[in-house]
Amino acid sequence: MNKGPLDGFRVLDLSRVLSGPAATMLLADQGADVIKVEPPEGDITRGMGTAEGNVTAFFLNINRGKRDVCVNLKTEEGRDIVRRIATTADVLVQNFRPGVMEKLGLGYEDIRETNGKIIYVSISGFGKHGPYAQKRVYDPVIQALSGMTDIQADHEERIPRMMRTVIPDKTTALTTAQAITAALLGRERTGEGQHIELNMLDATVAFMWPEGMMRLTVVGDEPDGTIGQIAQDLVFKTTDGFITVASMSNDQWAGACRALNKTEWINDPRFATTAARFENIRVRLEGTAEIIATESSVYWLEKFESEGVPCAPVLSRLEMLDHEQILVNDTIQTYEHPVFGKVRQPRPAARMRGMPEQPQPLAPSLGEHNGEVLREIGFSVEEIARLQENGDIAEG
C-alpha cells in the first residue's frame, strides 16, 4: 500500500489552533506519522464548528490523519513524555509565544541535547523580538498589521475591511510545511538538524507582496497606494446572477471590448495600455459593470469565452460542490466517518506518484493514542496507568 513520500518521518505536533496544525496535516496527507500533543482541556478548535463528542468539523479539517496524545505539560512527568517522543521524531512543531517552550524545558536547545538531527519549528505571531513579540495573536490582528485590510478597503469611504477567511494562518501553514520539507531535504544531504523560526506577520507580508505591494517596491517612489487599486471586486451582476471577468493582456482587453460591443475602448487613451488600464481602473470597471447588467450570465460567459477572455460564473459554496470542473478533478471527496457519518474533505492538491489519492479522513479523539504512542517509546502498561492516575496524561 502506498503511504506517501513522507512515509517513515515522524512529526511531533505541539501546535494549537490553526497555523501549526494545518501545516502538520499537510505532512500527514503526504505520509508522515504526525503525533499531536494536546493539553487535558484539548485544542480550542475542539469547541468550534459542528460537533460530535470532542471532535468538531473545524478540528477534523486541520487534524485528519494524525495520532493524538493528551499530556499535561504543567507536570514534569508530562514534559518528560514529550521529551521521550521527541527523541524518536524527525520534526517538532510548536506555536507557543516566544520563550514559553524554553521555560518548560522543551526549547530547541533542550530537545537538541537528545536529538541532534531534529528539525525544530517555532511559529509565532510576530517573531521573538520587538514590541509585539509577547502579544497574543489571532488572524485578524495580522490582517490589520500587514496591510491586508487596507487592500480590502472600501473605495468610496476608505474603510479597511477584513478578509472573511483566515488568510494569514493558512499562509503561515503553507510556508511552514514547505520549510519543513526543505529542511528535511537539507538534513538528508548534511546529516544536520536545525531550528526553523517563522512568524505569521512575515509570512503574510511576503504572501501579499507580488501584486498587493508592487507600488511599494521601488524605494523613494511610493505614490498614493489607493491610485490604481481595485475600485470594486471583479464581480459583475447580470440579469440572473453574477460572473467574474478579467483581462490582463492587450489581446484580452481587446477581446473584452469586442464582447462588450465597446470597440472604441480598445484604443481609448485611458485604456490603451496595461498601465493606463491600471490607473483608470475605477471608470473601466464601472463602465463594464453597467453593460454586463443588461444580459444574463450565460449570455456574457459565452461572449467572453468566444473572445478568449478569462471568465467564470460566481458560485456559492454549495454550488461549487456540484460544478463540473470540481467533479472532474475529484476535488472534494466523501468518506464514512465513525463519529459524523458521511463527511467531505478536499483531496491533497498536489498529486504525486507514491502518494495515496485519498487522505486519511479521521481526526483523533482527545488522547486516543496515549497507550499506543507511549508503548512505542518504552512505557509499560503499569507506567501508563500510573501516569493516568497522577493526571500526567488524560485517558484516551
Side-chain angles (χ1 to χ4, degrees):
M1 176 181 175
N2 290 333
K3 295 183 179 180
L6 294 182
D7 180 37
F9 290 98
R10 173 170 286 181
V11 178
L12 178 54
D13 181 8
L14 287 138
S15 64
R16 304 182 186 187
V17 192
L18 181 51
S19 61
T24 57
M25 184 185 70
L26 293 173
L27 305 180
D29 283 347
Q30 295 170 354
D33 174 22
V34 178
I35 299 174
K36 182 175 179 66
V37 175
E38 295 187 71
E41 66 274 16
D43 193 306
I44 190 174
T45 56
R46 287 192 182 273
M48 302 171 70
T50 304
E52 290 289 343
N54 61 26
V55 178
T56 64
F58 191 6
F59 186 87
L60 166 63
N61 289 345
I62 54 174
N63 287 290
R64 64 172 179 256
K66 302 179 185 180
R67 297 195 288 168
D68 192 282
V69 296
C70 186
V71 176
N72 187 354
L73 295 183
K74 295 179 181 178
T75 71
E76 182 55 37
E77 290 81 1
R79 293 190 290 272
D80 185 58
I81 291 170
V82 170
R83 294 188 191 99
R84 289 177 64 171
I85 298 174
T87 63
T88 72
D90 299 282
V91 179
L92 184 153
V93 179
Q94 62 89 12
N95 62 353
F96 290 90
R97 278 183 286 178
V100 171
M101 290 291 279
E102 286 73 17
K103 290 178 181 177
L104 293 172
L106 299 172
Y108 172 59
E109 296 298 335
D110 302 302
I111 300 301
R112 193 174 71 158
E113 286 183 7
T114 54
N115 185 351
K117 292 188 175 182
I118 194 80
I119 305 299
Y120 189 106
V121 183
S122 297
I123 304 169
S124 63
F126 311 102
K128 63 183 180 181
H129 302 296
Y132 278 68
Q134 292 300 318
K135 285 183 177 289
R136 292 187 180 277
V137 61
Y138 285 116
D139 199 272
V141 176
I142 301 299
Q143 289 200 37
L145 278 177
S146 65
M148 182 175 287
T149 53
D150 181 54
I151 292 175
Q152 294 298 114
D154 175 85
H155 182 76
E156 296 295 334
E157 300 180 5
R158 296 304 306 157
I159 298 174
R161 298 192 185 280
M162 295 282 177
M163 291 287 292
R164 294 183 182 179
T165 184
V166 285
I167 297 294
D169 265 297
K170 290 181 285 189
T171 298
T172 303
L174 292 168
T175 304
T176 300
Q178 190 279 326
I180 289 170
T181 53
L184 287 172
L185 175 61
R187 192 184 70 175
E188 291 297 304
R189 292 172 170 171
T190 67
E192 298 179 359
Q194 62 173 288
H195 188 189
I196 299 172
E197 297 178 273
L198 56 94
N199 67 75
M200 292 173 65
L201 183 60
D202 287 356
T204 303
V205 170
F207 172 78
M208 292 191 302
W209 199 269
E211 91 311 337
M213 305 295 193
M214 62 182 171
R215 297 185 73 87
L216 301 180
T217 301
V218 178
V219 178
D221 186 32
E222 298 87 0
D224 180 356
T226 64
I227 296 175
Q229 184 161 313
I230 297 296
Q232 63 188 59
D233 291 332
L234 292 177
V235 174
F236 301 98
K237 191 176 188 327
T238 67
T239 57
D240 59 356
F242 297 90
I243 67 168
T244 186
V245 59
S247 53
M248 296 293 291
S249 69
N250 289 335
D251 286 345
Q252 290 168 359
W253 171 244
C257 292
R258 289 191 294 270
L260 294 165
N261 197 28
K262 294 289 287 186
T263 53
E264 66 270 22
W265 281 359
I266 296 175
N267 296 312
D268 187 315
R270 298 172 300 170
F271 314 130
T273 66
T274 300
R277 291 193 293 275
F278 184 77
E279 294 293 333
N280 295 288
I281 192 168
R282 182 180 180 185
V283 64
R284 177 167 61 89
L285 293 184
E286 288 177 349
T288 299
E290 187 176 324
I291 298 169
I292 289 177
T294 63
E295 297 287 353
S296 70
S297 295
V298 169
Y299 173 87
W300 285 117
L301 291 173
E302 289 178 350
K303 291 272 283 185
F304 288 121
E305 285 285 359
S306 69
E307 294 288 352
V309 181
C311 60
V314 175
L315 304 177
S316 70
R317 283 165 282 188
L318 201 57
E319 289 171 332
M320 175 273 294
L321 296 175
D322 294 321
H323 190 271
E324 183 179 5
Q325 191 62 55
I326 295 292
L327 297 175
V328 169
N329 288 357
D330 200 20
T331 303
I332 307 296
Q333 300 173 337
T334 58
Y335 311 88
E336 287 297 326
H337 191 280
V339 176
F340 287 107
K342 187 164 286 188
V343 299
R344 296 185 186 92
Q345 290 287 282
R347 68 162 177 80
R351 294 183 177 185
M352 59 188 84
R353 192 164 49 192
M355 182 173 170
E357 280 293 302
Q358 297 181 333
Q360 166 55 258
L362 305 183
S365 59
L366 185 61
E368 178 179 345
H369 302 96
N370 278 352
E372 178 178 300
V373 172
L374 267 59
R375 286 192 297 272
E376 288 177 4
I377 59 174
F379 283 90
S380 68
V381 173
E382 293 75 19
E383 287 174 313
I384 294 171
R386 178 181 58 79
L387 290 168
Q388 286 182 341
E389 185 177 341
N390 293 342
D392 301 312
I393 61 174
E395 290 190 26

